[in-house]
Amino acid sequence: MEVVLKILLVEDEFVSRMKLNKILSHFGTCDLVTTGKQLIEAFILAHEEGNPYGLISVDIRLPDMMGQEIVQEIRKWEKQHNVAVQEKEARILMVTAMSDGKNIMSSFKEGCEAYVVKPFDLDKITQALAKINVLPQSR
Amino acid sequence: MNKRILVIDDNASIHEDFKKVLGLPVQDKSISEIEEMNQDLFGVKLARAGVGFDLSFALTGNRGCLLVAEAIEAGCPFGLVFLDQYLPDLDVISIITTIWEKAPRTEIVMISTFAVDSWQAPVEELGLTSRLLFLRKPIDTLVLRQMALSLLEKYSLSEKSSNATDQLPGERERQLELALAAMTTRNRELLEINQEASTNSSKKTDYLMSMSHEIRTPLNGVLGMVELLRETELDQNQRHLIETLAESGEVLMLLLTNILDLAKIEEGKIELQYTAFSLRKCVSGVINLMEARAIQRGNRLVTKIDPAVPAQVQGDEIWMRQVLVNLLSNAIKFTNKGNISVEIEVDVETERHVMLNFVVLDSGIGIDSKDQEQLFRQFAQVGGKAGVIYDGTGLGLAVCKQLVNLMGGEIWVKSNPGEGSAFHFSIAFEIASRKEAVNKPEQDREEPDNVIVPTSENGGRVLVVEDNPTNRKVAGIHLRLAGYCPEFVTNGQEALDWLSEEKCDLILMDIQMPVMDGFEATLEIRKFLPKIPILAMTANVFQSQRDKCFAVGMNDFQAKPVRKQGFLAMIEKWIGKPDAKKQANFKTAQSQPKVKVANTDEPLEPPIYIDRAIKDFEGDRELVGIVLTEFVKITAGRIETMVRATFDRDLEVVANEVHALKGGAGNIYAERLASVAEELEKALEQNHLARISSRLVSLSREFGCLQEYLRTCGDLK
């Protein structure tokens, strides 16, 4: 039996959230949050319940946190809890409207693995996720 | 009420009498008191008298004084003391003094048996007092009783009022505290009101500044067009109309500048930027600017500069210039067929500083002495006929005064009606250099070393990079009329694209443009075209802006509004007059422009590409419908929030909202809305309030279009 990928996505803007939900649904089941704080809480809760998210999609600019900060927080938490050893590290997709390299570079530095520049579509996201071995699931 | 009475008398029987008259009342009330007292005098039948006073007795003065002291200590002092005039131990004066020392309000009745004159001594000794009475034996019981009642009442009242007075400081403190608290509250309120007022004032200034700025842009277009119209064939009447139009436009421009300046000064937003500059150049620049207008009115414009005036002084050239422009334009306005002069002379000079006197002199209508005081105030202009004939707001002189004061100087006027006016101002400057020779390196710097001989290999082809269509048109017509061959793009990015495939001799570069501004574009162009002359065109005339232009690699600087003469002279300086032959070749070559040139007649793209959105949502039309409805609702809220936040100058909120809006709009392919949002984002990055406001208006308009479009297409259900 194929294990369904658990996806957590944060996006404060409504249309993007709906669209991202629609697109990412091809890859797994999505939980949606709208702020960085909610994302961190959901991320920790999932770990505590023993069923962590496999993919986290992060908007680079949120009202409360920058995407880079979120990635930093996630990786810090994983390190503190030895998540790497269990090989349950989340894969992180950065969604950004800024095409400037600086933000993306600093996201990579913090441990993000893939990014997609807005406006995105299924093709773009599929390509980005293929690079980190997240593939569409047949349902 | 105090009921304590002390009787000091060496005769013990007197004590008994007092007891009977003033002591506790007898229970049997069959005999009325008054009858009883009327019947009996001292010693005989006083059995049932007494009104309930608390009596104490002393046989000697010492004993009496002791009892007084004890009573005070016990907290129940005697209100009244009956004192026999002759006591064995102490004399009556010393007893009274002692009692009053201890209890100054004690009522004392001196009782004597002998002649009246014996009372004289104590009265003289004790001075004027209201607390001493005299009673002669034998004593009438009623008199005694009434006296006791009356005096104790008096004592009690006096005690009460004194207590009240003693308590008063405490009471006052309380009241003071209350008043203080009220005052503090009021102060806080006032402070808030004051802050609000100053915020409002600051908002007003911002509004004024952005308004003036927004008005100036189209006005520049109007003035440019007028100048072009002048070049066409006109009859006498049309020419006159055009001249009037031009003059009114110039006046309006100056007025706007003054409003803007005054608002800036009032808000303390003007910063003086001190650089070394030449006053001679500054003055001649102003004269050049004003000459045409002076000549139109038949005036002669001359300058007289004292040779001792240093070549360069440290000062703010821009504002110095503004003062001179305002004074000169006033002089020209009020003078017909006369003389106007600008004079500068040295007043005092030290090793490092020089105090200069400036005079702008005219032979115009002059100003009445009673009007002279009003002159430098805002919105004041000399009334009467002058006000009718010479319209204006009089803001110019207010600006002059503020600016001169800001530069640490004084401004005043000497004038007589019909004899012209002399506006004086004096400012102290630090001397930058005394000799004119030191100026030369600066002049050299202005002349570029790489282009000495103007060349136009491409037939005088000029690329105009400018986002404002009116400015494009004005520049284009000037260039074409002069024989150059203009090409147009609307921003830096388009310029780069164009230059990657085309060639030109010179680039006219606007600074503030969407997508890519003039600075960035110049930096990019310099990477592959190091020598092509790039001339900046900008409405921002600040030195910092100029410096930046040169810093990014521009060669020259043309202030907007573009004026034909200076504009063409500058181009000629760089690439010479256009070569007719080469130009002809190019005209055929460039008939088909390869790069898309901004064209306002081009059909607009739709507010939203719904098909693409549906495709993105994998054909789920219903979901797109829901998303769009929600998007419209959210966006309306965002715009409202942004408008409010802009007003409150909370630009961070605006930035967050517009960012989210841009993302959303992009995602549903509302491209126009997304691109206006992007422009607003840029304006926010530049912190350019006027532009932010205008972009916000565009955004709102674009959103209206989208809503309208969605209403009419409505095929999502």
Side-chain angles (χ1 to χ4, degrees):
Chain A
M1 201 184 86
E2 196 177 8
V3 178
V4 178
L5 180 69
K6 264 189 85 186
I7 304 169
L8 177 62
L9 73 90
V10 60
E11 170 62 66
D12 62 317
E13 197 281 313
F14 171 75
V15 179
S16 296
R17 194 163 63 241
M18 298 307 287
K19 203 163 135 184
L20 208 50
N21 182 27
K22 184 97 187 168
I23 293 172
L24 289 176
S25 295
H26 289 282
F27 299 85
T29 57
C30 296
D31 287 344
L32 281 63
V33 290
T34 60
T35 68
K37 221 179 135 222
Q38 288 171 0
L39 180 131
I40 303 290
E41 280 168 10
F43 162 79
I44 295 172
L45 192 70
H47 266 289
E48 284 170 359
E49 287 173 351
N51 192 8
Y53 291 101
L55 175 67
I56 297 176
S57 164
V58 179
D59 186 22
I60 206 156
R61 188 162 151 174
L62 292 164
D64 62 336
M65 285 170 100
M66 286 297 283
Q68 296 96 301
E69 290 177 78
I70 294 173
V71 178
Q72 195 178 22
E73 289 278 311
I74 289 174
R75 294 297 182 224
K76 201 172 85 189
W77 195 94
E78 287 176 339
K79 209 173 171 187
Q80 281 169 356
H81 295 80
N82 291 319
V83 174
V85 180
Q86 305 160 31
E87 291 187 341
K88 279 184 178 172
E89 262 183 330
R91 275 159 291 184
I92 300 176
L93 171 72
M94 189 66 70
V95 180
T96 171
M98 296 174 195
S99 43
D100 69 330
K102 260 187 225 161
N103 284 303
I104 295 161
M105 280 314 294
S106 59
S107 302
F108 277 119
K109 230 191 222 164
E110 300 299 346
C112 142
E113 294 156 302
Y115 77 93
V116 61
V117 177
K118 286 183 193 174
F120 50 79
D121 55 22
L122 181 59
D123 285 350
K124 270 195 192 175
I125 288 186
T126 308
Q127 275 175 28
L129 291 180
K131 287 180 193 161
I132 52 170
N133 290 322
V134 176
L135 300 168
Q137 293 178 353
S138 51
R139 279 196 282 165
Chain B
M1 185 178 137
N2 185 304
K3 289 194 169 184
R4 296 205 72 193
I5 297 173
L6 174 63
V7 179
I8 307 172
D9 199 310
D10 55 347
N11 185 346
S13 67
I14 294 287
H15 296 185
E16 292 308 314
D17 291 341
F18 270 87
K19 267 183 207 165
K20 284 170 191 159
V21 177
L22 302 174
L24 292 167
V26 183
Q27 294 302 310
D28 184 357
K29 286 184 180 167
S30 57
I31 304 162
S32 80
E33 275 177 27
I34 292 174
E35 208 180 358
E36 179 90 25
M37 281 181 266
N38 275 344
Q39 269 179 10
D40 308 312
L41 290 176
F42 279 98
V44 196
K45 297 172 185 173
L46 283 173
R48 283 175 296 274
V51 283
F53 291 109
D54 180 3
L55 294 167
S56 295
F57 299 95
L59 289 167
T60 64
N62 277 322
R63 173 75 187 155
C65 289
L66 192 73
L67 285 174
V68 166
E70 280 175 357
I72 289 166
E73 250 186 64
C76 42
F78 296 105
L80 174 59
V81 176
F82 286 100
L83 180 64
D84 191 6
Q85 197 176 0
Y86 296 103
L87 289 165
D89 54 349
L90 293 171
D91 79 271
V92 75
I93 304 291
S94 68
I95 295 170
I96 291 172
T97 312
T98 308
I99 291 171
W100 280 350
E101 253 171 36
K102 289 174 177 138
R105 276 186 293 273
T106 314
E107 298 287 343
I108 295 175
V109 177
M110 208 160 35
I111 302 165
S112 66
T113 341
F114 306 108
V116 180
D117 57 342
S118 65
W119 291 340
Q120 197 62 41
V123 167
E124 274 172 14
E125 200 69 41
L126 293 164
L128 198 61
T129 170
S130 65
R131 310 214 186 271
L132 183 63
L133 288 178
F134 300 97
L135 198 62
R136 200 181 301 278
K137 289 178 188 168
I139 302 166
D140 184 301
T141 52
L142 197 59
V143 169
L144 182 67
R145 203 188 67 151
Q146 286 311 112
M147 197 176 251
L149 278 167
S150 168
L151 287 177
L152 279 173
E153 174 81 7
K154 184 182 167 209
Y155 174 84
S156 294
L157 285 174
S158 132
E159 194 72 26
K160 210 183 278 173
S161 89
S162 127
N163 280 345
T165 318
D166 286 344
Q167 276 170 6
L168 214 57
E171 179 63 21
R172 248 184 231 147
E173 253 163 49
R174 236 189 335 272
Q175 280 174 358
L176 264 176
E177 268 167 28
L178 281 174
L180 206 67
M183 209 149 79
T184 313
T185 314
R186 185 75 188 131
N187 272 350
R188 205 179 306 123
E189 283 169 14
L190 282 173
L191 205 67
E192 278 163 16
I193 291 168
N194 193 23
Q195 274 168 352
E196 201 178 314
S198 77
T199 316
N200 284 341
S201 156
S202 166
K203 278 179 192 159
K204 185 197 77 180
T205 309
D206 286 338
Y207 176 73
L208 220 58
M209 283 165 76
S210 72
M211 277 306 291
S212 324
H213 204 89
E214 295 292 299
I215 295 170
R216 257 207 298 193
T217 308
L219 188 57
N220 277 335
V222 171
L223 290 178
M225 285 299 168
V226 167
E227 206 159 303
L228 291 173
L229 211 53
R230 248 188 207 152
E231 302 295 320
T232 60
E233 266 183 47
L234 298 167
D235 63 31
Q236 197 60 34
N237 191 32
Q238 285 169 330
R239 189 156 297 282
H240 177 72
L241 292 175
I242 289 290
E243 293 312 323
T244 316
L245 183 57
E247 197 174 328
S248 304
E250 297 288 349
V251 168
L252 185 53
M253 185 61 90
L254 187 68
L255 174 61
L256 277 170
T257 311
N258 282 333
I259 290 175
L260 202 61
D261 290 347
L262 210 57
K264 280 190 214 155
I265 296 167
E266 280 186 344
E267 274 298 300
K269 280 187 179 160
I270 281 192
E271 281 173 32
L272 293 181
Q273 297 200 343
Y274 283 94
T275 52
F277 74 101
S278 158
L279 277 168
R280 287 179 180 82
K281 268 194 194 168
C282 175
V283 171
S284 73
V286 173
I287 296 285
N288 283 343
L289 188 77
M290 310 299 282
E291 207 162 28
R293 242 195 294 166
I295 291 167
Q296 269 169 28
R297 301 187 76 99
N299 293 320
R300 223 164 61 94
L301 205 52
V302 292
T303 53
K304 284 181 209 164
I305 299 176
D306 187 344
V309 170
Q312 289 201 318
V313 292
Q314 286 286 342
D316 192 310
E317 186 175 1
I318 306 283
W319 294 120
M320 188 68 222
R321 205 178 132 91
Q322 190 63 37
V323 172
L324 287 170
V325 166
N326 275 343
L327 291 180
L328 263 178
S329 90
N330 259 7
I332 293 169
K333 193 156 74 180
F334 295 107
T335 310
N336 253 326
K337 291 183 181 124
N339 293 313
I340 296 164
S341 67
V342 180
E343 295 169 17
I344 309 178
E345 57 185 37
V346 174
D347 185 354
V348 192
E349 193 178 350
T350 67
E351 201 180 315
R352 291 183 52 204
H353 293 89
V354 64
M355 169 83 97
L356 299 175
N357 284 335
F358 298 75
V359 191
V360 175
L361 207 65
D362 68 59
S363 60
I365 58 169
I367 306 149
D368 205 307
S369 59
K370 68 179 182 344
D371 292 323
Q372 290 177 14
E373 280 176 37
Q374 296 284 323
L375 225 47
F376 295 102
R377 292 188 194 160
Q378 283 179 41
F379 303 110
Q381 198 184 31
V382 177
K385 272 184 192 167
V388 179
I389 299 167
Y390 304 96
D391 55 336
T393 57
L395 274 179
L397 287 174
V399 171
C400 284
K401 182 177 161 54
Q402 300 269 22
L403 285 175
V404 168
N405 289 350
L406 206 62
M407 292 188 269
E410 291 289 331
I411 186 164
W412 67 97
V413 62
K414 281 182 191 162
S415 179
N416 278 316
E419 291 172 23
S421 310
F423 283 87
H424 297 257
F425 64 99
S426 62
I427 296 175
F429 292 96
E430 194 180 318
I431 298 166
S433 71
R434 286 173 193 277
K435 287 176 206 157
E436 210 56 53
V438 191
N439 248 352
K440 276 188 178 159
E442 194 207 53
Q443 281 172 341
D444 286 344
R445 187 173 60 91
E446 281 179 14
E447 294 299 327
D449 36 28
N450 52 352
V451 186
I452 293 157
V453 182
T455 52
S456 58
E457 290 165 2
N458 299 305
R461 209 168 180 207
V462 175
L463 179 64
V464 180
V465 189
E466 164 70 79
D467 63 328
N468 181 311
T470 313
N471 287 345
R472 272 204 303 272
K473 214 178 249 176
V474 172
I477 294 173
H478 282 323
L479 288 166
R480 238 174 244 131
L481 283 172
Y484 296 100
C485 179
E487 299 288 343
F488 305 96
V489 290
T490 64
N491 64 55
Q493 186 57 52
E494 284 182 14
L496 290 178
D497 295 345
W498 191 92
L499 287 165
S500 67
E501 296 180 36
E502 300 278 333
K503 278 181 181 168
C504 65
D505 297 307
L506 181 137
I507 299 167
L508 286 170
M509 183 75 77
D510 184 22
I511 300 299
Q512 286 163 343
M513 289 178 292
V515 187
M516 185 189 282
D517 69 17
F519 294 132
E520 204 182 334
T522 304
L523 283 171
E524 290 300 317
I525 292 168
R526 281 289 173 242
K527 289 179 186 167
F528 59 96
L529 292 173
K531 286 196 173 176
I532 192 164
I534 301 177
L535 316 186
M537 293 194 298
T538 175
N540 186 336
V541 290
F542 291 103
Q543 188 66 41
S544 59
Q545 184 93 351
R546 277 172 192 255
D547 291 345
K548 196 169 176 195
C549 286
F550 290 116
V552 297
M554 292 186 183
N555 302 78
D556 216 333
F557 187 94
Q558 171 70 52
K560 281 186 199 170
V562 168
R563 291 284 175 275
K564 187 187 161 196
Q565 217 180 353
F567 176 71
L568 291 177
M570 191 175 76
I571 292 171
E572 204 173 303
K573 177 174 136 196
W574 290 96
I575 58 172
K577 287 206 161 95
D579 183 325
K581 266 189 240 165
K582 280 182 186 171
Q583 198 184 324
N585 292 339
F586 253 95
K587 263 186 183 159
T588 49
Q590 53 107 39
S591 54
Q592 284 292 320
K594 285 175 189 162
V595 177
K596 192 183 87 180
V597 171
N599 182 353
T600 45
D601 301 330
E602 189 182 2
L604 283 170
E605 59 177 338
I608 179 168
Y609 294 99
I610 291 185
D611 290 347
R612 293 189 204 171
I614 292 169
K615 187 174 158 261
D616 259 16
F617 279 89
E618 294 157 33
D620 194 339
R621 294 173 80 89
E622 200 184 338
L623 181 57
V624 171
I626 294 166
V627 167
L628 280 176
T629 311
E630 196 59 29
F631 174 77
V632 166
K633 211 187 286 171
I634 292 169
T635 305
R638 289 200 197 284
I639 290 176
E640 202 187 316
T641 307
M642 282 191 273
V643 170
R644 205 175 311 121
T646 306
F647 190 69
D648 294 339
R649 306 207 56 189
D650 193 348
L651 297 185
E652 212 185 312
V653 169
V654 183
N656 285 332
E657 292 291 325
V658 74
H659 179 79
L661 195 158
K662 186 183 82 176
N667 275 323
I668 51 162
Y669 298 98
E671 306 284 10
R672 275 160 53 186
L673 191 62
S675 85
V676 183
E678 191 172 340
E679 278 175 32
L680 175 55
E681 240 181 346
K682 283 233 170 75
L684 282 160
E685 273 165 34
Q686 291 161 345
N687 211 4
H688 192 304
L689 203 69
R691 198 167 299 153
I692 291 166
S693 307
S694 79
R695 296 288 184 267
L696 200 49
V697 171
S698 311
L699 189 73
S700 173
R701 197 186 299 132
E702 203 54 69
F703 178 59
C705 289
L706 175 67
Q707 277 178 296
E708 191 56 39
Y709 185 84
L710 290 175
R711 247 197 301 279
T712 50
C713 78
D715 58 349
L716 289 162
K717 299 279 154 67

